[in-house]
């Protein structure tokens, strides 16, 4: 189970944090990823962090978003900086033990958060 928190509303140029806390054992073995979904659009993969700490990002968020993990607290973090109104979306975490650690993989992730709203005003 993945429990999300954070998000909220901010003006353009601002920053927000979103977190995702997992329950259960073996958190350090998880591949952890973030998606977002804008109203009326398909879900978009943003990037992720592997069990060994390697991070990947899509081009549009690289340098503005930071994904990190705290294995001791079983928590996945997403730091959102220099936000624009186009970043307004529901942000969703996902996790899995198996398969490629990539938001572009074909196989679905087994564990999902419920989503956290991020709203950026101009």
């Amino acid at each position: 189970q993945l429990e999300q928190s954070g998000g909220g509303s901010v003006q353009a140029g601002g920053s927000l944090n979103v977190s995702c806390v997992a329950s259960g054992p073996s958190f350090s073995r998880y591949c952890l990823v973030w998606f977002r979904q804008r109203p009326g659009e398909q879900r978009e993969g943003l990037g992720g962090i592997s069990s060994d700490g390697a991070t990947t990002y899509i081009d549009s968020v690289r340098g503005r978003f930071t994904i990190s993990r705290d294995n001791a607290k079983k928590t996945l973090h997403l730091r959102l900086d220099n936000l624009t109104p186009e970043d307004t979306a529901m942000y969703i975490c996902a996790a899995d033990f198996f398969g490629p650690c990539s938001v572009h993989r074909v196989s679905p992730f087994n564990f999902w958060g419920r989503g956290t709203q991020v709203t950026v005003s101009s």
Side-chain angles (χ1 to χ4, degrees), residues 19-101:
S19 295
C20 182
V21 179
S23 58
S26 304
F27 176 82
S28 63
R29 295 171 49 198
Y30 281 119
C31 161
L32 304 167
V33 296
W34 287 100
F35 291 84
R36 69 182 175 189
Q37 189 162 18
R38 300 185 182 95
E41 297 185 12
Q42 288 190 334
R43 190 168 58 205
E44 175 186 35
L46 301 177
I49 185 165
S50 67
S51 58
D52 62 3
T55 53
T56 58
Y57 301 91
I58 60 172
D59 289 344
S60 63
V61 306
R62 186 178 294 112
R64 298 191 302 121
F65 292 4
T66 304
I67 297 171
S68 62
R69 66 191 297 162
D70 184 337
N71 290 335
K73 295 183 179 180
K74 298 185 179 181
T75 302
L76 169 68
H77 297 286
L78 177 64
R79 170 73 175 183
L80 309 155
D81 291 315
N82 195 20
L83 286 161
T84 72
E86 289 69 37
D87 295 316
T88 294
M90 183 72 73
Y91 285 73
I92 309 160
C93 61
D96 209 331
F97 287 129
F98 304 108
C101 193

